Each structure stands twice: as C-alpha cells, then as structure tokens.
Amino acid sequence: MDIRALRYAVTLAEELHFGRAAQRHYISPQPFGRHIQRLERELGTQLFERTSRRVTLTPEGERLIAEARTLLDTVDSLTEHHHRTTDEKLLTLGVLGFGLAERWPDLTAAVHGHDPGIAFSYAELDLADQYEAVRSHRVDVGIVQYVGPVDGLVFEHALTMPRVVVVPARSPLADADRLTEADLSDSPWLPTALAHPALEAWSGPASDGSHNRGALRHPAAIPGAVATTGRIALHAEAAGRFYPHPDVRFVPLDGPPVEIAVATRATDDRHAIAAVRHATRLLGGAR
C-alpha cells in the first residue's frame, strides 16, 4: 500500500473537497483522485461518497481514516527517530535541474567551514515533486525554485538568475536579443509540470498544459523536447551552459527572474540542517 495515498486520503477527509485537498499536496485534482480510487480498490471498500456538490466519508471510511492517522503518526515518528539515531551528518540532498549551478562549491565550502563532517547523498527532484519530496522526508534538503511560502518548509535564498525562453534554432525568434511574453503570444508552449499555483502564476502563458499527464517533469529534458517538438519553454539562464543543444537557442525573456533556494522542513532542528541554512544565508548574502 502506498503511504502517500494514505496521506492524500487523510487530507481529503479533512477538506472534503478534492480541489483543496490536492492543492495541499501541490498536485492537480485528477491524479489526486486517481490515487484515492486506487487506494479504495486496494482496500476493497469505498472511503468517500462523491456527488456533484459534496464529498463525505462513508462509515467504513471514518474507521479506516482513523487507523490511517495512527499509522501515519507512527511512520513519521519512525522517520524522525531514524534521522536522529543514524548518522545525523549525512543528509540526502534533492536537486532540481542544475541546482545551484556554479555556486555549489561555494555552498559546500561554507557548510564544511561550519562542520567538515557533514556529507551529502544525491537525489533528483522534478518540477512536480520538488516541495513534496522535502515535506515527506524523501530528502533532507532540497535545492528548488522559490516562488513563495509552502506549508511546513523553510526557504533560504541562494541565488537569482534571469529567465530565458528555449526556442528551436530554426525559429525566427532564435535571433532575437531579448523577447517579451507579447512576442511569444502565437508560439506553442511545451507542457511542463508545475508543483505549486504560484509557479503557474510565475510561468504565465507557459503554464498552459502544466497538468497534462505528459507534461515534462525534468528541466534537463526541456531543450531536447523543444528541438523535437518545435514548441518553446521557459528555463533559467544557466540552462544554456548546463544543457546545451545544437538545435535550440536560449533567448533572454522579460519577466520575473528565477529564484533558487534551499528548502528544509520547518520542524527539522538537527545540527547539520542548521549548518546548511547558515551556509546558504552566507551564500545568498554574498551575491
């Protein structure tokens, strides 16, 4: 049984609304609903009654949700205990795309200046799960795109870089020195998964299709997808250095820049986490 689906079910029991419950986990209602349906099939019982106007718990749902809350409390306690009884200086670092780009050595130097014993293991984040991976304890630290507060997370600003639009090299847009969103009004956008309503607002017209099942989740895949489909996509300025592709161009685009931050859980008070937060503040202050 998927623990994540149990978390979704408990949230739905609290909200009794698929849209609000899905938003709390930063996914769209359609995949959220599929997780609930799959859980009900696995349990062999209906947890929720749905009508066009309301969602309610069934009697069996009330019993199972109470048991799920107890189980999830145990899982969370075990997770925290594991973190505190294993090597507290080994942190799982989740990285979205190119992460901190060329500033990563500066951050690790600052972390090791605080405590040379801290070490990192690596995990890849994607555009759809970058926040939830930290909140659900899959990673200890996340290098993510910051667009605003997220419940349960603490963000430390690391760096800011301009945004660019990735266009096919054969496109008339490829030779522009700079573009505006108005310049792109007739261009088809590549559907790219987004994890937060504020990311959709930041993305503007690029957010169309962000909830499609085939939406791209990995920043590294964007240039190749642009070259293949002839569509355009948003990226950060460093993408031209980290993901060069002969068939695309990275053109500066007016609008809000890309803010990159280090995310940690608000309840995580370990020494190593404090060191990472402190080092990130030093990094951000040095820009």
Side-chain angles (χ1 to χ4, degrees):
M1 186 179 299
D2 186 355
I3 291 294
R4 178 175 55 176
L6 287 178
R7 294 190 190 278
Y8 290 172
V10 169
T11 302
L12 183 57
E14 294 169 355
E15 295 288 348
L16 295 178
H17 187 282
F18 276 87
R20 290 195 300 269
Q23 189 173 27
R24 281 177 55 181
H25 292 277
Y26 306 104
I27 67 172
S28 59
Q30 292 84 2
F32 182 91
R34 288 194 292 270
H35 280 287
I36 298 297
Q37 291 171 351
R38 190 178 304 121
L39 177 64
E40 289 177 323
R41 288 196 300 269
E42 290 177 354
L43 293 172
T45 189
Q46 187 174 358
L47 303 179
F48 299 93
E49 293 280 0
R50 296 92 150 162
T51 70
S52 60
R53 294 187 175 184
R54 59 186 303 200
V55 178
T56 58
L57 274 166
T58 65
E60 187 67 7
E62 290 182 359
R63 183 182 69 81
L64 286 169
I65 290 299
E67 293 178 356
R69 285 194 174 100
T70 300
L71 174 62
L72 292 173
D73 286 344
T74 301
V75 169
D76 290 341
S77 295
L78 287 172
T79 302
E80 289 293 345
H81 178 72
H82 171 75
H83 282 303
R84 295 182 186 283
T85 55
T86 56
D87 186 355
E88 290 197 356
K89 294 186 179 183
L90 177 61
L91 301 177
T92 301
L93 176 73
V95 181
L96 176 68
F98 50 73
L100 292 178
E102 294 90 350
R103 300 301 306 276
W104 174 245
D106 297 330
L107 180 66
T108 54
V111 169
H112 292 149
H114 191 82
D115 187 335
I118 295 174
F120 297 99
S121 62
Y122 172 85
E124 184 177 21
L125 301 182
D126 66 46
L127 291 159
D129 77 353
Q130 55 180 310
Y131 307 132
E132 192 62 23
V134 184
R135 295 202 315 167
S136 65
H137 298 261
R138 283 203 289 116
V139 301
D140 300 302
V141 179
I143 299 177
V144 301
Q145 182 178 356
Y146 176 75
V147 289
V150 174
D151 288 346
L153 297 184
V154 172
F155 294 94
E156 301 291 347
H157 178 271
L159 71 149
T160 301
M161 64 180 64
R163 67 177 183 171
V164 298
V165 58
V166 188
V167 303
R170 62 184 179 275
S171 166
L173 302 171
D175 294 326
D177 293 327
R178 190 171 196 86
L179 293 168
T180 67
E181 288 188 2
D183 296 326
L184 308 174
S185 59
D186 295 327
S187 300
W189 289 90
L190 194 68
T192 306
L194 301 172
H196 192 285
L199 267 174
E200 297 182 21
W202 176 87
S203 298
S207 65
D208 290 345
S210 63
H211 298 303
N212 292 352
R213 295 186 74 177
L216 282 180
R217 298 171 67 99
H218 297 282
I222 289 175
V226 168
T228 301
T229 65
R231 294 172 176 263
I232 65 175
L234 282 179
H235 225 311
E237 177 268 339
R241 301 190 296 278
F242 283 84
Y243 310 131
H245 193 293
D247 297 323
V248 304
R249 300 291 182 267
F250 300 85
V251 183
L253 178 66
D254 287 350
V258 178
E259 302 281 346
I260 297 175
V262 171
T264 53
R265 288 182 296 280
T267 56
D268 197 340
D269 58 0
R270 287 176 289 166
H271 164 77
I273 294 295
V276 170
R277 291 171 180 163
H278 177 71
T280 308
R281 287 193 291 271
L282 293 177
L283 181 72
R287 66 186 186 278

